[in-house]
Amino acid sequence: MESEEVDNKFTWVIKNFSTLQYDKIYSDPFVIGGCKWHLLAYPKGNKFNNSLSLYLVVDDARALPCGWRRYAQFSLTIINQLTDKLSQRGGTEKQNWFNQRNLGSGFTSMIPLPNLHAKNAGYLVNGEVKIVVEINDLEVIGKLDVSEETSPVKESIDVNGFQVLPSQVESVKCIFERHPDFASKFRPKNRHLKSTYMTVLLGLIKTLCQLPEELTDDDLDEASVAVSYVENGGLRLDWLEKKLAEVKAKKKKVETGKARLQRAEEELQKLNQKCLELKAFLEKENADVSEANVPLSFEDVV
């Protein structure tokens, strides 16, 4: 197996994929954001379905101090080696807190195994499968696995009592500007717990900013659960609930609209075929009429 690490990305090349005898395989450890990780894959599928399962896992968690936690926003992609447009990304950008009880996170169904093994599909080429993990945002509670001097992990910044990443500062400020009292009854005092609530809230907003057709019913159900979770902490999210209801309505409208469009296209195809048949019929009838509409000559009559 080969691997390549570039900034916030890690590429795992699994050789001789079709002949692997193991139920699960691990990538070499890699470092992103000053933290050590590895990838875990189930090349023969899992007990739930006949699909490749793939997970991002904290490496050597036993060496980390008590109470360590990491927040990572990441994506996992099965590369199509013929055309990048067909690469299979593991859902939307995944967001998760890693800790001693939750060392890994990922997807049970990255791609159906028949699709992965299909000849000329582009996922299995010369016996190799390529997988890319990308970690865009990372917050670490506890020590890093490598020297902080070489680590690109960003320090958190206080915004109205919430510790957030530099990339989140403007978003959090905007929330407070538009909804000044939304955190006025917020109960948790622990800064790490407060950070978790804010991270969930920002993840919710990011989810709602996707195209409605890209959101699954599970995504929206999880969003509703997340809203309840954040509200239980004391945040006022009536404005977000309205937007969630709006996105759900838009998704339903898109789905019903697409169904109507498909039916209309099918009817149009039938009408076009009918028009072609009528045109052929008219041409034949005109030819028959023209052939019959010829006067007899004197010789023909006599």
Side-chain angles (χ1 to χ4, degrees):
M1 298 180 189
E2 295 181 355
S3 60
E4 179 184 353
E5 182 182 334
V6 180
D7 296 329
N8 65 331
K9 292 184 180 181
F10 173 77
T11 300
W12 183 22
V13 180
I14 307 175
K15 293 182 175 294
N16 304 315
F17 186 86
S18 298
T19 59
L20 291 173
Q21 300 300 313
Y22 305 102
D23 291 330
K24 57 182 178 180
I25 55 176
Y26 302 87
S27 73
D28 292 333
F30 57 92
V31 176
I32 292 181
C35 299
K36 290 183 180 179
W37 314 85
H38 66 255
L39 294 178
L40 166 63
Y42 290 78
K44 297 181 180 180
N46 55 67
K47 62 182 180 180
F48 302 106
N49 52 55
N50 191 34
S51 299
L52 175 70
S53 300
L54 186 62
Y55 303 92
L56 174 66
V57 184
V58 174
D59 191 69
D60 195 16
R62 291 173 297 181
L64 296 174
C66 180
W68 69 270
R69 284 194 301 164
R70 297 177 186 173
Y71 163 76
Q73 184 172 292
F74 69 94
S75 62
L76 296 167
T77 305
I78 306 295
I79 299 299
N80 188 291
Q81 300 174 55
L82 299 181
T83 171
D84 190 58
K85 292 181 180 180
L86 296 179
S87 293
Q88 295 293 308
R89 189 175 182 180
T92 55
E93 200 165 59
K94 193 79 173 174
Q95 302 181 50
N96 203 73
W97 276 102
F98 295 81
N99 52 47
Q100 195 63 48
R101 294 184 179 181
N102 184 42
L103 297 178
S105 180
F107 306 92
T108 57
S109 302
M110 279 293 294
I111 183 173
L113 290 180
N115 295 2
L116 180 63
H117 288 274
K119 187 177 181 180
N120 299 324
Y123 301 106
L124 181 58
V125 177
N126 297 325
E128 296 181 352
V129 170
K130 292 185 178 182
I131 297 170
V132 173
V133 57
E134 180 176 355
I135 301 179
N136 290 321
D137 283 319
L138 179 63
E139 182 178 351
V140 178
I141 298 174
K143 73 173 185 177
L144 301 174
D145 294 312
V146 298
S147 170
E148 293 190 24
E149 294 179 1
T150 61
S151 171
V153 174
K154 308 162 189 174
E155 295 181 359
S156 59
I157 297 174
D158 183 276
V159 178
N160 288 23
F162 289 85
Q163 297 295 320
V164 299
L165 298 174
S167 61
Q168 299 171 331
V169 169
E170 292 304 317
S171 297
V172 175
K173 285 183 177 180
C174 183
I175 294 174
F176 274 101
E177 287 174 2
R178 298 188 180 186
H179 309 281
D181 60 344
F182 94 102
S184 59
K185 297 182 179 180
F186 189 61
R187 293 186 295 275
K189 302 301 180 183
N190 181 280
R191 71 182 186 91
H192 300 315
L193 187 56
K194 292 177 71 174
S195 177
T196 299
Y197 275 96
M198 184 58 71
T199 297
V200 173
L201 175 57
L202 293 173
L204 275 167
I205 294 173
K206 190 169 184 177
T207 295
L208 297 184
C209 289
Q210 296 181 69
L211 288 173
E213 66 178 351
E214 293 180 352
L215 295 169
T216 65
D217 291 335
D218 287 341
D219 290 335
L220 294 176
D221 289 341
E222 290 176 3
S224 296
V225 172
V227 168
S228 298
Y229 165 76
V230 177
E231 286 184 325
N232 286 337
L235 293 179
R236 297 178 57 182
L237 299 182
D238 51 320
W239 49 277
L240 190 64
E241 287 184 329
K242 292 178 181 179
K243 291 300 178 181
L244 178 56
E246 182 180 321
V247 170
K248 287 181 177 180
K250 286 184 176 181
K251 175 177 170 55
K252 185 175 182 179
K253 186 174 182 180
V254 168
E255 290 176 341
T256 55
K258 280 192 168 184
R260 288 196 301 268
L261 283 172
Q262 184 175 352
R263 290 194 296 269
E265 288 175 356
E266 291 172 353
E267 289 298 320
L268 182 59
Q269 289 178 355
K270 292 178 182 178
L271 289 173
N272 286 335
Q273 183 61 35
K274 187 67 175 177
C275 287
L276 292 174
E277 292 172 356
L278 286 172
K279 184 178 180 181
F281 174 77
L282 287 173
E283 290 175 351
K284 183 178 182 303
E285 287 298 308
N286 280 327
D288 291 344
V289 169
S290 297
E291 183 180 355
N293 192 32
V294 177
L296 295 174
S297 66
F298 180 83
E299 287 77 7
D300 292 330
V301 174
V302 175

